[in-house]
Amino acid sequence: MSIETIMRTSAVIPVLVIEDAATARPLAEALVKGGLKVLEVTMRTAAALDAIREMKKVEGAIVGAGTVVNTDQFAQVMDAGAEFIVSPGLTERLGQVIVESGVPFLPGVANAGDIMRGYDLGLRHFKFFPAETSGGLKALKALAAPFYEAKFCPTGGITPATAPDWLGFDPVLCVGGSWVTPKGASYEEVEALARDAAGLAR
């Protein structure tokens, strides 16, 4: 599966910070039931690798690893079964290793230099991060003009209210967001939030 196919699967990719691996599978089930199949498990907690393994058991889920910042982490998440990789930024070393592996890769970019580094590696799909504090939609429109082949998944500060504006910009294939899994929400509430997010127009 290509990174473009993954990005086009859901309008919203939930960015998940899992503290307890025991919650991973029911959380994934609620998200998939609500219509969000692409799940990004961030490497911000000790439970992340086990969470990836648990979410992979959910039928229909496409489980990737986010916040991958070095080659050691890349090896760990691949061993856990990650189907795609998301990084907050882009270094030549990490990028080269992931590109050579053939695993779908969505590196973070915030400026023209970042995108050019990605182009050098043959990449055309990027996470625009952190989206709101990097200048918002206005900044992405300015960046997308010279890099007309590039497609984006803006992440960082995006809300249900602002997501339709981002999704209305043609180079944006999806957005990343954490609002679909608010702290303390029940699985039923997560499913409802996922259903609303899945229904956002692209």
Side-chain angles (χ1 to χ4, degrees):
M1 192 179 291
S2 70
I3 192 63
E4 177 150 346
T5 300
I6 290 168
M7 292 169 75
R8 289 185 182 278
T9 298
S10 301
V12 178
I13 297 178
V15 179
L16 308 170
V17 181
I18 310 292
E19 302 285 354
D20 179 2
T23 66
R25 187 169 180 173
L27 182 63
E29 286 169 347
L31 290 164
V32 170
K33 201 172 174 187
L36 299 183
K37 296 179 178 180
V38 181
L39 312 176
E40 178 190 335
V41 179
T42 64
M43 292 293 291
R44 299 182 198 177
T45 69
L49 293 171
D50 285 335
I52 291 171
R53 293 185 182 99
E54 285 300 307
M55 288 187 165
K56 286 271 292 178
K57 297 173 184 175
V58 177
E59 190 177 347
I62 301 166
V63 186
T67 325
V68 175
V69 297
N70 56 52
T71 54
D72 287 344
Q73 278 189 333
F74 172 58
Q76 289 172 346
V77 300
M78 290 310 297
D79 187 55
E83 295 169 79
F84 64 95
I85 304 295
V86 184
S87 63
L90 178 60
T91 64
E92 191 176 339
R93 183 182 176 199
L94 179 62
Q96 194 74 52
V97 170
I98 299 176
V99 167
E100 286 174 0
S101 77
V103 178
F105 181 36
L106 194 64
V109 297
N111 55 52
D114 292 342
I115 297 172
M116 288 172 68
R117 196 175 304 119
Y119 266 47
D120 283 347
L121 290 165
L123 300 168
R124 295 296 183 271
H125 297 81
F126 305 97
K127 173 170 91 162
F128 181 51
F129 176 81
E132 288 295 349
T133 55
S134 295
L137 183 54
K138 189 176 177 183
L140 183 59
K141 285 182 174 178
L143 281 171
F147 301 107
Y148 57 89
E149 297 172 299
K151 303 296 182 189
F152 298 93
C153 174
T155 305
I158 294 171
T159 67
T162 61
D165 293 334
W166 288 97
L167 292 165
F169 181 44
D170 197 49
V172 171
L173 301 186
C174 58
V175 298
S178 55
W179 77 82
V180 289
T181 56
K183 239 179 175 55
S186 68
Y187 297 126
E188 290 76 17
E189 288 168 330
V190 168
E191 184 186 330
L193 288 166
R195 190 165 284 114
D196 290 343
L200 289 171
R202 243 192 303 256

